[in-house]
Amino acid sequence: MRIKNTILLLVILIVLHPINVISASYEESLPDVNLLTSSNTLELTETQESYLSQLSQIEDFVKNNQFSDALNLLINLSNTIKNKRLFSLNTYFPNYFLDYKYIEKDDSELFNDSNYGVLFSKHYRNKRGNVLDVYVIYSDPSIKEYFRLLRNPELIEGVTNLNVVKINKQYYALEKKSDGESIYECNMLVNNKLLVNLVSDSKKEIELFNTFISKSRIDKLEKYLKINSL
């Protein structure tokens, strides 16, 4: 009985408060309005109707004490919204830039929602085999430390292979070169909750990072995540 009551409470909270939970996630899952056409505007309307229909079905399951069915549908709906969100985040970064091309890479074992605060990742490779890995870090405690170091650069004076740089003449970042390896990592601070991590083996890493960020829409990403700038 206690398990049923717990499931019932969780489902009711989501069903009866869709504005705070499902509806909020739905809004975050929408692509940039500047990218919409008449066809995908219709698709978004149909998607919203589908979400509302599934919420109604979940509520019916709860009323009929079909808690397993309600929970399964709720999980499926949550996964659908997460995939929509990933699609939206993907639109803020290019698929091509310079001679680099987006490649699919499974890093789910290294990074996930509960590990390092990674919200999204994207990976690139050129014909020479050079790579660029991009990670969007959101609301992770480590961001506060980067913020502190960038505001107080004297704290890293004398630290080997660690420098404060400015990316695309706009964002301050900590750049680090791995000892004994030609791996360059740049942690670019967007605001106090958002950080973009760039990792590459290119010897022209700053030029690469600058070009990539100039081709990305970080301002749109920031707005999408509804985070205030520093």
Side-chain angles (χ1 to χ4, degrees), residues 210-227:
N210 282 333
T211 302
F212 174 76
I213 293 301
S214 71
K215 299 296 183 181
S216 302
R217 300 188 299 168
I218 303 301
D219 57 334
K220 297 288 187 180
L221 171 66
E222 188 175 10
K223 183 178 180 180
Y224 170 84
L225 294 174
K226 299 178 181 179
I227 301 174

Side-chain angles (χ1 to χ4, degrees), residues 10-18 22 55-56 58-59 62 74:
L10 289 173
V11 174
I12 287 178
L13 283 174
I14 294 178
V15 172
L16 297 184
H17 300 280
I22 295 295
L55 283 173
S56 178
I58 291 171
E59 187 175 16
V62 172
L74 186 63

